[in-house]
Amino acid sequence: MNIMIITSSPNTDGLTAACGEAAKVGVEMGEATSNIISLNTLNIPACHACGSGWGPCLKEHTCQVKDDFQALHKKMAKADGYIIITPVYWGDMSESLKSFIDRLRRCEALNGDKNSLFGKPFICVAAPGGTGNGCLSTLSSFERFVDHVKGVKYDFIGITRRNREYKLVTIKEAAQSMVESLTV
């Protein structure tokens, strides 16, 4: 079993990275494999809204813009579950995650139960850092995304500097629990 962990912060030693590591430990405690993919190391710019707003993503469920999106999209299809972690900027997910999710949603959301994310569990983590501002709006954006791709909302977790210690444990335990739920 393979769980994909996606992080989207340029800070490789901050709260988002710590959340990714906690998720990885939890996945491994559940006896599954995982890999952490840092979106900020990939070239995935915003959707081009090709043609009249829809390119081949509407009917072919692929993106015609050639960059790192295609390889990551294929890897996602092979994963059994997902843990997506983002810092919170301006009350929403990071720009790198927003670009990726917008393109992924266009390729998968209108493919019905044939979409590669259909019925797969998601743990989504919003890490607004110090103030906690924007946590709920970011989790709400995650909720709409998971609904659009017909995934399963396994857990939605907010974490700040203030609650870091126990929320890292929560992320680890949620990841382990998700893996165990897939093996039953």
Side-chain angles (χ1 to χ4, degrees):
M1 177 173 318
N2 181 35
I3 304 300
M4 180 176 281
I5 301 169
I6 297 173
T7 64
S8 64
S9 174
N11 184 353
T12 59
D13 195 33
L15 183 59
T16 302
C19 292
E21 290 302 321
K24 185 171 177 50
V25 169
V27 168
E28 291 168 355
M29 287 172 58
E31 299 184 9
T33 61
S34 66
N35 54 332
I36 297 177
I37 300 192
S38 174
L39 288 179
N40 291 72
T41 64
L42 302 175
N43 177 30
I44 303 177
C47 174
H48 292 188
C50 304
S52 61
W54 290 96
C57 56
L58 179 61
K59 292 186 178 159
E60 296 172 29
H61 311 290
T62 60
C63 182
Q64 70 183 11
V65 178
K66 301 298 179 207
D67 53 26
D68 292 332
F69 175 82
Q70 287 75 20
L72 184 51
H73 188 196
K74 285 180 185 174
K75 283 182 186 177
M76 285 196 82
K78 295 176 184 173
D80 299 298
Y82 312 95
I83 302 171
I84 305 175
I85 305 161
T86 186
V88 174
Y89 300 146
W90 304 104
D92 209 345
M93 58 187 71
S94 72
E95 290 82 350
S96 61
L97 183 58
K98 182 86 170 93
S99 293
F100 176 68
I101 280 182
D102 284 347
R103 289 174 63 185
L104 184 62
R105 182 184 350 232
R106 281 179 170 264
C107 291
E108 296 291 348
L110 298 176
N111 201 10
D113 60 0
K114 294 178 186 168
N115 94 59
S116 63
L117 310 177
F118 181 84
K120 294 182 182 179
F122 284 81
I123 294 173
C124 299
V125 179
T131 66
N133 291 341
C135 185
L136 295 178
S137 56
T138 301
L139 292 174
S140 179
S141 293
F142 271 132
E143 182 180 35
R144 280 189 305 281
F145 163 71
V146 175
D147 282 343
H148 290 158
V149 298
K150 298 170 183 57
V152 173
K153 293 174 251 182
Y154 195 84
D155 205 348
F156 288 68
I157 302 167
I159 182 171
T160 68
R161 259 191 338 239
R162 291 178 185 90
N163 64 19
R164 174 186 175 123
E165 293 312 311
Y166 76 88
K167 288 291 184 140
L168 288 175
V169 173
T170 300
I171 292 166
K172 179 179 70 174
E173 290 176 351
Q176 180 181 2
S177 176
M178 184 175 76
V179 168
E180 290 170 352
S181 76
L182 290 169
T183 59
V184 174

